């Protein structure tokens, strides 16, 4: 029944049920605020959006990166912690996890196109800052390792051997967290870089060091992104919130976990 | 005997023994390289060190932050994963964990003194960039929450009740990872900011965007820091590498806790 999934018996106390839903609600709200803040920053203070090789095209870069690599990625990562996904059939949720991760990658790749295209049209060099080095490593790891080699081939294709799944799962989980953290590092260093380049005295703006409203707003976006990351990693790290293993990919601890589900 | 601790029986296969020591060696080497790189960068390209309110005083800031918040902190975090620490008496290792964490905090506070003192002497505003906002949150969380309220009072004082320890431990572990990640975010955005400010055409340096040797070197430091963080979080996340619980702080519900342990 629905209440079985809303209030899983393995969360024996009401306080642990409450603490999950409060954390998950916090995760949803912070994620929503990140998208709102990054969009509002770029439309109100950076002139809005276009795809014409101008500075307005660059503005897509922060919006797509924060939305893809942080918000959609983070929500895809905590998906299996929602008790509603704990039914016998894991496949639809695996598909949703894969679809969300593919969406995250698509947004990130579009975000890269926005900045490379802008740099090339303005004859600005690409990939010189440590922000760009960490960022490109993040997207390359995400696109190659995680998405295709590990995620799709191992967990979605029914032909992949069980031993391979058991071996790859801890790697998938670990690399998944690493890519998420690298995405956050890239976003914070990118916001810092953008504000240093944009907020200079003279061109109708005040310098960054005087903390004009735009600086306070975009710095707050940075703090929201970090808070979102900390909440997501907190949800992921809590052992009792993990989906009880079931189905053929189960490992040796199956009998114990089975007992718990009665 | 020594071999019991070097090759714990719970790591049933030789490959899992090997993979721990390879990961731990990688963690030590990457940490060592981070300290060498950040020191060499500031002594070769930034003019070396002094404590006189000049730019040479600022140079202590990156060295102390990377060494304290990343390298010493990360090594203190993985301490309990070393099987040599798995003896009956956990107290000496708790003390070592506390001493290392205190050293990390001391280095971080000295690093803050270096930059605040430099800014004040040069009449540069403090705490305006998103780098500084995330950085100050990191040190404040580390100093208040983690170190005193949670770590020292709960785990080292023998009078603290067992229920409190059981309740606080997941929070301590989660906040501990969060502070480590926030430290890495601060370091990467700080390196990026420093290179943008320092590498401009004109003052005996080439602009950052032409990737002079200093930029390549300091960017590589950034990648080393991220790699160190990923390895540390990998070691921390591996369930079978955790210290088996023992001693008075796991009580009647021991089997359950065993299962709970990640």
């Amino acid at each position: 029944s629905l209440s079985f999934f809303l209030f899983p018996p393995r969360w024996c106390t009401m306080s642990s049920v409450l603490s999950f839903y409060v954390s998950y609600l916090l995760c949803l709200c912070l994620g929503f605020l990140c998208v709102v803040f990054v969009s509002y920053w770029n439309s109100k203070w950076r002139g809005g959006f276009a795809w014409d090789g101008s500075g307005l095209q660059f503005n897509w870069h922060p919006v797509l990166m924060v939305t893809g690599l942080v918000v959609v990625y983070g929500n895809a990562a905590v998906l299996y912690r929602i008790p509603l996904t704990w039914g016998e059939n894991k496949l639809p949720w695996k598909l949703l996890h894969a679809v969300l991760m593919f969406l995250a990658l698509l947004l990130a790749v579009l975000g890269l196109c926005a900045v490379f295209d802008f740099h090339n049209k303005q004859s600005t060099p690409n990939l010189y800052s440590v922000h760009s080095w960490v960022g490109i490593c993040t997207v390359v790891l995400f696109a190659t390792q995680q998405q295709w080699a590990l995620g799709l081939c191992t967990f979605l294709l029914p032909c992949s051997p069980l031993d391979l799944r058991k071996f790859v799962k801890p790697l998938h989980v670990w690399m998944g967290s690493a890519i998420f953290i690298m995405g956050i590092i890239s976003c914070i260093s990118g916001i810092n870089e953008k504000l240093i380049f944009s907020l200079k005295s003279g061109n109708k703006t005040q310098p960054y060091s005087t903390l004009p409203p735009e600086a306070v707003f975009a710095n707050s976006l940075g703090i929201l992104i970090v808070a979102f990351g900390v909440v997501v990693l907190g949800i992921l790290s809590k052992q009792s919130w993990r989906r009880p293993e079931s189905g053929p990919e189960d490992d040796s601890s199956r009998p114990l976990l089975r007992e718990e589900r009665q």
Side-chain angles (χ1 to χ4, degrees), chain A:
Chain A
S1 76
L2 188 66
S3 73
F4 178 88
F5 291 116
L6 287 176
F7 310 104
R10 67 200 290 251
W11 295 351
C12 39
T13 62
M14 200 60 203
S15 77
S16 95
V17 172
L18 256 180
S19 66
F20 172 79
Y21 285 107
V22 167
S23 309
Y24 187 61
L25 193 68
L26 195 61
C27 163
L28 291 176
C29 292
L30 285 170
F32 177 74
L33 282 177
C34 287
V35 176
V36 169
F37 266 58
V38 72
S39 308
Y40 188 75
W41 169 37
N42 282 282
S43 64
K44 178 171 161 72
W45 283 286
R46 299 281 110 230
F49 306 95
W51 200 276
D52 55 1
S54 74
L56 302 187
Q57 178 168 346
F58 175 87
N59 293 346
W60 281 112
H61 178 62
V63 172
L64 291 168
M65 288 329 214
V66 169
T67 308
L69 281 185
V70 179
V71 180
V72 177
Y73 191 110
N75 276 289
V78 297
L79 182 70
Y80 298 128
R81 299 304 187 276
I82 309 168
L84 272 174
T85 70
W86 292 359
E88 272 302 306
N89 191 1
K90 196 175 176 181
L91 189 64
W93 304 106
K94 279 189 177 186
L95 280 172
L96 182 58
H97 178 79
V99 166
L100 285 174
M101 283 299 188
F102 183 75
L103 176 65
L105 182 63
L106 193 72
L107 293 172
V109 169
L110 278 175
L112 283 189
C113 291
V115 67
F116 275 93
D117 199 38
F118 164 70
H119 280 170
N120 294 342
K121 292 230 170 87
Q122 311 278 327
S123 302
T124 310
N126 285 301
L127 295 176
Y128 65 86
S129 69
V130 69
H131 156 69
S132 63
W133 283 29
V134 175
I136 203 77
C137 289
T138 310
V139 177
V140 167
L141 273 179
F142 185 21
T144 56
Q145 282 275 24
Q146 195 65 7
Q147 196 94 21
W148 300 110
L150 298 183
L152 190 65
C153 300
T154 310
F155 297 113
L156 273 179
L157 295 186
C159 57
S160 72
L162 299 186
D163 277 352
L164 180 68
R165 292 175 188 224
K166 261 171 64 179
F167 175 76
V168 165
K169 193 172 175 185
L171 195 66
H172 183 70
V173 168
W174 168 54
M175 285 300 299
S177 301
I179 291 165
F180 180 62
I181 293 165
M182 288 169 71
I184 293 176
I185 295 172
S186 309
C187 287
I188 302 299
S189 55
I191 293 168
N192 208 37
E193 179 173 311
K194 178 65 185 168
L195 291 170
I196 293 173
F197 285 146
S198 307
L199 298 178
K200 289 176 169 164
S201 50
N203 57 354
K204 283 195 281 183
T205 51
Q206 290 177 273
Y208 194 9
S209 59
T210 61
L211 267 181
E214 177 182 350
V216 174
F217 191 85
N219 284 359
S220 306
L221 165 65
I223 298 294
L224 283 173
I225 291 171
V226 171
F228 176 79
V230 168
V231 170
V232 164
L233 292 170
I235 293 175
L236 292 179
S237 72
K238 184 123 175 168
Q239 181 71 15
S240 61
W241 291 352
R242 300 207 163 185
R243 187 185 197 279
E245 292 287 349
S246 64
E249 66 266 51
D250 236 351
D251 58 18
S252 50
S253 51
R254 182 175 170 181
L256 249 177
L257 289 165
R258 272 282 147 114
E259 247 170 61
E260 283 240 328
R261 297 187 65 202
Q262 292 304 312

